[in-house]
Amino acid sequence: MIGPGYRGERAEVDDEKRRDLAEKIAAAWPDGQPPKYVGDILRGSAPNWIDRRAKLFEIGEYEDKELSVSCEDLQRLAQGFDMPVPVLIEHVENPLHLGYLTQVEAVGAELFGNLALTPEAERLIEEQGAKSLSISVSRSLDKIFEVSIVAHPRVESARLFCANFNAVESNEWKAEALKLQQQVAAQEVDKSVEDLIAKGRIAPVSRGAARRLLFSANKRGIGDEIKAFLESLPVQIQFGELVPQSVEAPAIGEEVDFYRRHFPNIGIEEIMKRKVRK
C-alpha cells in the first residue's frame, strides 16, 4: 500500500509516515531484501506511480502451451492474485524496474489488470509505442508470476490501454458482447462437429478433439479452411444398416450334418444366417 499499490489502491500517507512504515517492513522482511520500492522510500527516491489499465489474457485454446483456458480459469487467476508481481521486458529479469501489476480482474472472457508504472517506464513505453503484453502463469492457472512488455504477444489484444482509459464504463458493454460472441462461436463449432459426425467424416470418439481444433482455427481466422478439409475427408463410418438383410436359405439335413461335424463350435443358426438365396 505504501509502494505501487495493493488490489488497485494506494496508501495516502505523508513522507514521514511512509518512511517509518518502510523501515518496519525492511526490518521484518524474512531474507533482509525487501522489494526495491521499499529501499526507494528509505532513500527518498520513491517514484510517483502512474496507473495504467491493461488487458492481460483471454480464454481460448493455447495448443503450443498445451493449455485450454476457460472463464472459470480466468476467475481463478483473479482470485489467486494476492501480491503485486513485477513488470519485466520479454519475461527476463533486468536492472530496469518498470513497475508492478497490482490488481487483477476477470471480466467475461478477458482478464484485466492495473499496472503501476514508474515515470521512466511510462515515458519509455510512450516513446517506443511498446504496449503489447504477455503474462507468465502457473500450469494450474491459479497464479500469475509476472507480466512483460513484449514485441510479439501470445494474445494479440493483450496490451496497455491509454492513460485515461475508464475500465468500468468502457468495458462493461464490451465484456457482455464478447461473452455472447464466445457463446455463439461455441454453438457454431458444436453444430459443425455434430454435422461432421452425422456425415461419417469423423468418429464420435473424435468429437472433443475436433471441437478444440475448430475453436482454435476460428480464433486464428482459418476456421473455414479447416472445416472444408474435414468435410473433404472420406466417409469413415456409415451409420444405419451396413449389410443388406439376407434371405435365409433353408438348411437341408446333409448340410446340417456337415457343418456340425466340421464346425462344431459355430452355431448352425449363424451359418444359415449368412446363406443368401440366389
Side-chain angles (χ1 to χ4, degrees):
M1 291 290 287
I2 65 170
Y6 180 68
R7 296 191 183 278
E9 298 183 5
R10 195 173 293 113
E12 297 296 333
V13 295
D14 59 37
D15 291 343
E16 184 177 350
K17 178 66 173 178
R18 193 181 304 275
R19 182 180 178 83
D20 180 56
L21 290 171
E23 287 177 349
K24 292 179 180 179
I25 292 171
W29 205 264
D31 61 3
Q33 294 183 333
K36 181 179 182 298
Y37 56 80
V38 174
D40 290 340
I41 294 172
L42 294 176
R43 290 188 296 272
S45 58
N48 294 316
W49 301 99
I50 299 171
D51 293 315
R52 293 286 294 270
R53 181 76 168 173
K55 175 180 173 180
L56 305 172
F57 207 24
E58 65 183 24
I59 67 170
E61 302 292 330
Y62 300 89
E63 295 171 346
D64 56 329
K65 303 294 183 183
E66 297 184 350
L67 282 179
S68 177
V69 181
S70 66
C71 289
E72 291 74 18
D73 294 323
L74 297 187
Q75 290 287 348
R76 192 162 63 254
L77 279 171
Q79 293 167 3
F81 185 79
D82 59 355
M83 287 295 288
V85 298
V87 177
L88 307 178
I89 296 178
E90 298 289 353
H91 301 291
V92 177
E93 293 279 357
N94 59 79
L96 179 62
H97 292 270
L98 302 177
Y100 295 86
L101 175 65
T102 64
Q103 189 236 3
V104 175
E105 174 190 11
V107 182
E110 300 174 299
L111 191 70
F112 294 94
N114 181 79
L115 270 62
L117 302 173
T118 64
E120 293 78 14
E122 169 75 5
R123 185 168 58 253
L124 177 65
I125 289 169
E126 286 298 321
E127 290 175 354
Q128 300 298 322
K131 297 183 179 182
S132 296
L133 299 176
S134 175
I135 62 172
S136 174
V137 301
S138 61
R139 294 204 63 81
S140 54
L141 294 172
D142 60 359
K143 186 176 180 60
I144 299 175
F145 298 114
E146 48 90 359
V147 56
S148 283
I149 297 172
V150 296
H152 305 289
R154 182 60 182 80
V155 178
E156 291 185 7
S157 57
R159 61 192 298 106
L160 283 163
F161 296 125
C162 55
N164 61 354
F165 182 86
N166 186 308
V168 177
E169 294 179 3
S170 299
N171 270 291
E172 283 184 350
W173 66 269
K174 182 182 176 185
E176 289 302 317
L178 284 171
K179 185 176 181 180
L180 179 60
Q181 185 181 23
Q182 291 289 341
Q183 291 173 347
V184 171
Q187 290 173 357
E188 290 179 350
V189 165
D190 288 339
K191 183 178 181 300
S192 296
V193 170
E194 294 307 317
D195 184 55
L196 288 165
I197 292 174
K199 292 177 179 177
R201 304 296 180 184
I202 61 173
V205 71
S206 301
R207 178 182 281 108
R211 187 181 185 280
R212 290 191 295 273
L213 174 62
L214 283 174
F215 192 91
S216 178
N218 286 341
K219 287 182 69 65
R220 289 164 172 77
I222 56 172
D224 291 342
E225 290 82 351
I226 296 299
K227 185 178 177 182
F229 168 73
L230 294 174
E231 290 277 7
S232 71
L233 293 175
V235 174
Q236 304 295 318
I237 299 176
Q238 182 67 51
F239 292 97
E241 191 174 52
L242 298 180
V243 180
Q245 185 176 2
S246 62
V247 179
E248 294 184 10
I252 61 177
E254 291 180 357
E255 285 183 294
V256 172
D257 290 338
F258 175 83
Y259 287 125
R260 283 179 175 168
R261 280 199 314 272
H262 297 284
F263 305 97
N265 296 325
I266 301 178
I268 192 65
E269 295 82 6
E270 291 297 316
I271 296 173
M272 291 301 104
K273 193 182 297 182
R274 290 164 173 74
K275 288 177 64 63
V276 180
R277 190 189 304 273
K278 300 296 184 181

